[in-house]
Amino acid sequence: MRQLAAKLTLQESYFFLFLAIVVGLLAGLTVVCFHVAYDMTRIWLLGSALAPPWLPTLLVPTLTGVAISLLVIWVFPEARGSGVNQTKSAVYISDGYIPFRTVVGKFIVCALAIGGGFSLGPEDPSLQIGAGIASAMGRRLRLSKDKARLLAPVGAAAGLAAAFNAPIAAVLFVIEEVIGTWSAGGLGAIVLAAASSVMVMRVFLGSEPFFRVPPYHLGSPLELFGYAVLGVFGGFASLAFLKFLAYVRPRVRRLPRWTLYVQPAAAGLLIGTIGLAYPQVMGAGYVYIDETIHGQFSWQTMGILSGVKIAATGLSFVSGTPGGLFAPVLFIGAALGGAVGGVEQLIFHHLTGSIGAFALVGMGTLFAGFLRTPITSVFMVMELSGNYSIILPVMISNTIAYLISRRYQSVPLFDLLSRQDGIELPSLEELREQPVLRIEHAMNPPSFPVLRSSSLVSEAMAVANSSNARTMLVRFSTGRWLVLERADLERLSGEDGRRRLAEVLARDWLPTVHPDQPLEAAIGFAQERSIVPVVSRMDPGKLEGVLTLKDILETYRETSTDAEHGSSSSVP
Amino acid sequence: MEEVKKKKTRGQSVWSREAWLVASVVALAGMFALTGLAVSYYRGKQSGLAAMWFERGNAALKANHPRQAIEDLRNALSFAPNNSTFQLRLAQALAADNQIDSAEFYLFDLWSREPGSGEINLELGRLEARKGNPDAVRYFDNAIYGSWVSHPIEHRFETRVDLFHYWLDHGNQPQAQATLLALAAETPETDFGHLAQIGEWQMQAGDPRHALEQFQAALRVNSRYEQALGGAGAAEIAIGQYRDAIPYLRGALRLNSRDAQAAAGLKLAQLVLASDPFEIGLSPEERDARTIDAFLAGQASLAACATQQQVSVEPPEGAGPQNAFQQIWTRGKSLRPLVTHLRGQPQNVLQFMSFVYAAENLVADECGPLEGKDKALWLIGKEHRLTKVSNQATH
């Protein structure tokens, strides 16, 4: 039996990949059920018409808000908050631990919130549901801390991919926002999980994209200016939304505890009131994104919709109602893009880009500006549209929006939310932009003689005497290096000065490094050896400089001092 | 010993790990089944709701309530976003509500997926035609040669009719006539209703000869088809064959004595035949009488129209004619002395009738459509001028 067990035992790495597929499938199935749950809830609560009658429009979000507050306070307190941040907390704080109760809570409460008309989306909860399932699997399988920590993002990618029907964007988002680094081991598992969850989702819900995007082609390069203008508008709209959350959320959180019972209901009532005039703002809004892409609204209506959706989503979110921001952000972006496109077409009749193209680019633009994930936003639009030619306008518009948002709001959304919650999670945007210290920044030119291994001991002694150096480096023809102390040289000189250094020196080779390597790569060597030669990659016998532990520590010290004084360009 | 213990524990834990994974796969199978059930219920519900809203939307569209139809069809589409039929119907509702750009978006989207669909091309053609966009012709052509899910012959007929109307609305009569000829060629010989209808359109397109052929073809299948009888009579009048028009028009009136158009046509044909001084076999007296009668009627008509337009037919004293009325009136006055010299002077008859034609032409231009004897005289003049030109060419 034990032999059979040994035969069937998978290698750790294969086991993890296999586990990623299982997690992906489970997450995919759960997200499909979640989709069914929130959509059926909408039909049951608000009816099947896109614009519900006035009474349910007012009552349903209000009463749903009451139910949500009771559920969140008494049954699922973990369901409150951003799924992305909770997943990040799990990864960085609790070794990948996400209570399964959170999965259940998110599923039920978010289905109720989205179905009840709150302006929230299913992607963020799906991400956390996937991460929660993965975490539970990891615990059950008693994975090591490292693997358990990695499994949560794997599940997160699977959940997000299934919710979005966009596996590439989901993988990129998790790498960009949750993990922050590209690691080969993790990437394989994340890709496998995302692919398997999307496969499951497509089996059950169909392989059609979420949005039916009209054909697009760039008529003239001059049209890119039109998209650049959209980038400016998108940047400032993102900023407005971010500032709203940054200002209102902490104030709402400071309200007395009893108000937690009424906050979602009050938000629901306000959303219902907005919904009487603009029912489009209620729920995730995918249908309306599709209509916007198909030019079903005038530019004036789209402009208003982008504004009221910001208000409705902001209210939903700051009231503590669990739910995601992705879908609303896409809605706002699409509406804003359509409005800007409509106005531009009024002014410049020769523009061939349709309102749909502007709406599509607008989705990516707001995503980049608001969520501050520029790479994900570009790939997301490409994946949703299935059109490669849209990439150029998207890149231009997204970059402009991203830069504007960064310029005027230094803290990105997820960091902002975690800081408001009193948790200091690593800012992946800051991490990405931290200057990388390299060996070339710390190395110094050698202040001592460099000898050849073919030199006679007497010659080396003469060089040592003339330079008065205590330490010397010896270069061998093979490109290897040795360190030679003056005391050793004097001893060798006393024994026989006519022998060559290569003959008498023990082969205790020095480790070498290259100038472009990260500085941290040299720390271990510098701790062991007094000198670490920095050599050229082209010619290992060519000395570029030397490195000591003191040099390394000095460089780190200078960098941190500069950072404290607010200088970002601290690299020497 | 410790090492062995460790290995044992690890072996057991690893085995239990794989076992858990197998159990997860089994659980997956169960979840697949459960999800399948949930999704099948969800799909059923969605399909039901989509069908319900679609029916409502269709009914609203048929009842000419496009706003309501748009709302209902959007609801339907929210449950079946990729349903081409729903999208097409929504585009039709949007077009009916004059939301041309919105309709166009849906149609272009559909077209990009099914560029060969006759139905989508026809709708796009209609939309572009409404916008006055010449691309309409391309879409109509695509629809004619595209694929149709059902009743392709009827739909292609419908498309050609739309194309014909497009040409006609844009004043391109040759293309309109050509489209109708193609339409006629594709219409079964036994389909007398459509043949007669094509004849009507050919009359509108100014092609009475081909129209007459269609009416006659229709009558060969159903000789008692009133529309074809009336149409054939009108076509005969349009090509100047008044005598041949009479039996058709009488036939139409026999079938429907209240057919005002046939009655008017018959009266006109009879008037032309009774007023025409160029009719072969007339006695000289009769020809003179008809000429003088036409001359007097022309003068009277000209004078009445001038009064209506508050214009004097007499030029001011000592001055020449100041306008068209005075010019023609003066010409008529110069003819009066010739009234007694008509006999044996056929060129004088021509001069009189030429005056009559000029007078009736002016009356038609200035005072609206001609009726009764005036119209008959105008038609005679028109016919005479053609004859004259033709005679000159012969000689």
Side-chain angles (χ1 to χ4, degrees):
Chain A
M1 191 63 183
R2 203 164 288 160
Q3 279 177 340
L4 178 67
K7 276 185 184 170
L8 290 176
T9 301
L10 288 168
Q11 264 183 29
E12 187 71 14
S13 54
Y14 291 121
F15 174 80
F16 193 70
L17 291 179
F18 187 66
L19 182 59
I21 296 173
V22 174
V23 165
L25 294 173
L26 275 172
L29 287 168
T30 315
V31 170
V32 168
C33 291
F34 180 52
H35 181 100
V36 171
Y38 73 73
D39 214 19
M40 286 306 298
T41 307
R42 181 183 67 85
I43 294 169
W44 286 326
L45 294 180
L46 287 166
S48 59
L50 286 172
W54 71 271
L55 196 59
T57 303
L58 274 181
L59 280 185
V60 169
T62 313
L63 297 177
T64 307
V66 173
I68 287 168
S69 59
L70 295 177
L71 279 170
V72 170
I73 293 167
W74 287 344
V75 191
F76 303 114
E78 309 87 352
R80 181 185 273 266
S82 152
V84 174
N85 272 353
Q86 284 177 359
T87 306
K88 272 171 81 175
S89 302
V91 173
Y92 292 103
I93 299 169
S94 49
D95 299 328
Y97 176 75
I98 297 171
F100 195 70
R101 196 185 175 85
T102 309
V103 175
V104 179
K106 280 275 175 186
F107 190 104
I108 295 172
V109 181
C110 292
L112 202 57
I114 299 166
F118 279 82
S119 177
L120 294 164
E123 295 85 5
D124 184 279
S126 300
L127 178 145
Q128 202 183 0
I129 286 169
I133 288 170
S135 173
M137 290 279 291
R139 284 199 300 281
R140 195 48 81 184
L141 296 166
R142 277 169 280 178
L143 291 183
S144 66
K145 268 188 183 178
D146 277 353
K147 293 289 181 195
R149 219 176 277 144
L150 186 56
L151 197 59
V154 167
L160 185 59
F164 238 153
N165 191 13
I168 301 172
V171 168
L172 287 172
F173 181 81
V174 167
I175 288 170
E176 220 173 357
E177 197 47 54
V178 181
I179 310 177
T181 53
W182 294 79
S183 88
L187 186 63
I190 288 172
V191 169
L192 274 178
S196 41
S197 74
V198 168
M199 187 198 77
V200 167
M201 197 283 285
R202 289 184 182 175
V203 165
F204 287 106
L205 297 179
S207 55
E208 292 87 8
F210 269 18
F211 312 114
R212 292 160 298 114
V213 180
Y216 167 79
H217 74 277
L218 188 66
S220 148
L222 285 175
E223 286 184 19
L224 292 175
F225 285 109
Y227 293 103
V229 173
L230 172 58
V232 174
F233 276 92
F236 284 107
S238 311
L239 206 58
F241 196 7
L242 277 167
K243 294 284 182 195
F244 176 85
L245 294 182
Y247 183 81
V248 179
R249 192 168 178 261
R251 281 160 182 78
V252 172
R253 287 173 69 83
R254 279 203 293 272
L255 292 174
R257 190 174 154 71
W258 66 266
T259 60
L260 291 177
Y261 287 95
V262 293
Q263 283 175 18
L269 184 63
L270 287 171
I271 292 161
T273 310
I274 297 172
L276 289 175
Y278 296 101
Q280 295 92 338
V281 302
M282 295 176 80
Y286 282 129
V287 177
Y288 295 109
I289 296 175
D290 197 73
E291 287 192 358
T292 308
I293 291 173
H294 283 82
Q296 298 302 294
F297 303 112
S298 67
W299 66 265
Q300 294 95 330
T301 308
M302 286 191 277
I304 295 169
L305 279 179
S306 61
V308 289
K309 187 73 176 175
I310 288 179
T313 310
L315 285 169
S316 301
F317 194 74
V318 298
S319 69
T321 309
L325 292 172
F326 289 27
V329 164
L330 295 180
F331 181 110
I332 297 161
L336 185 75
V340 172
V343 174
E344 286 186 15
Q345 283 188 342
L346 276 182
I347 302 168
F348 309 107
H349 298 288
H350 64 278
L351 277 179
T352 56
S354 66
I355 300 287
F358 273 91
L360 195 63
V361 174
M363 282 163 61
T365 304
L366 218 82
F367 204 87
F370 183 72
L371 297 172
R372 300 270 271 270
T373 50
I375 303 174
T376 307
S377 64
V378 170
F379 278 86
M380 181 199 69
V381 173
M382 222 169 73
E383 242 182 326
L384 291 178
S385 67
N387 189 328
Y388 183 77
S389 33
I390 197 99
I391 195 164
L392 206 56
V394 171
M395 282 172 78
I396 289 170
S397 185
N398 286 16
T399 307
I400 292 172
Y402 176 70
L403 292 175
I404 290 173
S405 175
R406 257 187 53 159
R407 171 72 181 78
Y408 297 104
Q409 171 67 38
S410 56
V411 186
L413 172 75
F414 293 116
D415 299 337
L416 181 83
L417 297 178
S418 65
R419 285 174 201 179
Q420 286 177 355
D421 294 344
I423 303 167
E424 197 67 36
L425 287 171
S427 167
L428 299 177
E429 187 177 89
E430 286 169 16
L431 211 65
R432 276 197 299 273
E433 282 152 21
Q434 239 173 28
V436 179
L437 283 178
R438 301 191 183 280
I439 285 170
E440 64 188 354
H441 299 135
M443 71 184 192
N444 283 307
S447 58
F448 37 76
V450 176
L451 305 167
R452 286 186 189 165
S453 63
S454 57
S455 306
L456 296 173
V457 172
S458 55
E459 290 170 351
M461 197 60 223
V463 172
N465 286 336
S466 66
S467 65
N468 209 18
R470 301 180 63 81
T471 307
M472 284 149 286
L473 278 175
V474 182
R475 180 176 58 208
F476 280 68
S477 56
T478 53
R480 292 184 156 186
W481 295 81
L482 283 178
V483 68
L484 178 59
E485 298 294 339
R486 188 182 179 98
D488 293 336
L489 183 60
E490 282 170 354
R491 183 178 49 79
L492 291 169
S493 175
E495 286 170 8
D496 184 356
R498 285 169 301 171
R499 294 173 70 184
R500 295 187 185 280
L501 289 174
E503 294 165 18
V504 295
L505 290 179
R507 300 299 195 260
D508 184 16
W509 304 120
L510 281 175
T512 55
V513 289
H514 303 291
D516 60 288
Q517 283 183 281
L519 192 54
E520 60 197 40
I523 295 176
F525 299 145
Q527 274 177 331
E528 286 173 12
R529 303 303 185 99
S530 56
I531 299 169
V532 180
V534 182
V535 298
S536 158
R537 281 194 187 271
M538 291 287 286
D539 175 10
K542 187 183 172 195
L543 190 69
E544 302 273 0
V546 290
L547 199 62
T548 63
L549 188 59
K550 193 180 158 210
D551 296 333
I552 295 173
L553 295 176
E554 189 71 13
T555 308
Y556 275 122
R557 194 183 57 75
E558 280 172 14
T559 311
S560 58
T561 312
D562 284 351
E564 275 169 24
H565 287 90
S567 160
S568 58
S569 55
S570 56
V571 178
Chain B
M1 189 64 192
E2 188 65 30
E3 188 64 19
V4 174
K5 214 175 183 179
K6 238 183 196 172
K7 272 188 182 167
K8 205 173 168 183
T9 322
R10 238 171 76 190
Q12 276 175 350
S13 111
V14 165
W15 171 240
S16 66
R17 213 167 63 167
E18 263 71 22
W20 258 107
L21 210 52
V22 171
S24 305
V25 173
V26 174
L28 261 178
M31 260 195 90
F32 257 98
L34 280 175
T35 310
L37 281 174
V39 170
S40 120
Y41 170 75
Y42 172 62
R43 287 278 192 220
K45 184 88 182 166
Q46 276 194 319
S47 308
L49 288 169
M52 179 198 84
W53 285 114
F54 180 66
E55 269 176 37
R56 283 196 195 182
N58 244 349
L61 190 59
K62 277 180 192 158
N64 204 20
H65 299 307
R67 286 269 160 99
Q68 185 59 46
I70 290 168
E71 206 172 299
D72 294 340
L73 291 166
R74 279 188 172 147
N75 288 337
L77 213 52
S78 73
F79 294 105
N82 294 298
N83 188 312
S84 303
T85 313
F86 290 9
Q87 287 175 29
L88 187 62
R89 202 66 80 237
L90 176 57
Q92 287 168 338
L94 287 164
D97 195 42
N98 279 326
Q99 298 183 37
I100 305 293
D101 289 341
S102 300
E104 213 175 28
F105 261 105
Y106 275 109
L107 289 173
F108 279 139
D109 187 23
L110 285 167
W111 190 85
S112 69
R113 281 181 273 152
E114 296 174 61
S117 159
E119 207 171 2
I120 295 164
N121 275 294
L122 174 59
E123 287 305 326
L124 261 174
R126 282 175 177 167
L127 217 59
E128 297 308 312
R130 279 172 73 173
K131 288 171 74 179
N133 186 346
D135 279 348
V137 177
R138 182 163 59 91
Y139 291 118
F140 282 136
D141 280 339
N142 288 347
I144 290 165
Y145 301 107
S147 61
W148 292 87
V149 180
S150 62
H151 310 294
I153 295 171
E154 288 83 345
H155 287 307
R156 289 194 175 105
F157 185 93
E158 196 185 343
T159 309
R160 283 199 198 277
V161 173
D162 275 273
L163 180 58
F164 152 71
H165 283 300
Y166 172 81
W167 289 128
L168 201 63
D169 292 345
H170 287 78
N172 194 332
Q173 288 211 329
Q175 286 288 4
Q177 290 168 6
T179 305
L180 289 175
L181 286 177
L183 188 62
E186 281 182 6
T187 306
E189 285 178 6
T190 51
D191 189 353
F192 61 89
H194 275 146
L195 287 171
Q197 183 60 62
I198 294 167
E200 294 284 348
W201 288 325
Q202 281 174 325
M203 289 292 286
Q204 285 177 33
D207 188 6
R209 288 184 192 281
H210 284 114
L212 182 61
E213 284 174 18
Q214 300 311 317
F215 291 126
Q216 287 171 338
L219 289 170
R220 278 196 289 278
V221 183
N222 182 357
S223 58
R224 293 175 59 78
Y225 190 45
E226 185 197 335
Q227 189 191 348
L229 284 166
E236 293 282 20
I237 290 173
I239 52 181
Q241 296 173 355
Y242 305 100
R243 200 170 297 282
D244 294 340
I246 290 171
Y248 289 123
L249 295 167
R250 280 194 180 137
L253 283 167
R254 263 198 300 277
L255 291 170
N256 178 10
S257 56
R258 290 187 204 158
D259 186 341
Q261 225 175 337
L266 180 63
K267 191 179 166 195
L268 182 67
Q270 286 170 334
L271 265 171
V272 170
L273 289 172
S275 313
D276 189 358
F278 303 109
E279 183 81 3
I280 297 163
L282 285 182
S283 64
E285 294 80 9
E286 179 63 13
R287 176 172 294 118
D288 292 351
R290 286 186 180 195
T291 307
I292 292 162
D293 196 30
F295 176 67
L296 294 175
Q299 272 193 322
S301 187
L302 189 68
C305 181
T307 310
Q308 192 184 325
Q309 297 294 314
Q310 296 177 326
V311 177
S312 167
V313 289
E314 296 289 353
E317 274 195 37
Q322 306 287 304
N323 53 44
F325 282 100
Q326 290 172 2
Q327 267 177 357
I328 297 171
W329 184 258
T330 310
R331 193 172 141 200
K333 270 172 83 175
S334 68
L335 287 174
R336 274 181 206 161
L338 299 176
V339 167
T340 49
H341 297 89
L342 274 172
R343 184 107 9 119
Q345 300 289 332
Q347 70 276 16
N348 287 349
V349 175
L350 273 177
Q351 275 190 38
F352 274 90
M353 289 312 289
S354 174
F355 158 76
V356 171
Y357 182 60
E360 297 294 357
N361 246 342
L362 185 65
V363 171
D365 287 347
E366 299 293 331
C367 298
L370 300 171
E371 283 177 2
K373 184 146 187 172
D374 289 320
K375 188 165 185 186
L377 290 173
W378 179 79
L379 284 170
I380 293 164
K382 191 177 156 204
E383 182 69 15
H384 166 66
R385 279 183 64 180
L386 290 173
T387 312
K388 194 173 144 191
V389 171
S390 141
N391 285 345
Q392 280 170 351
T394 316
H395 292 105

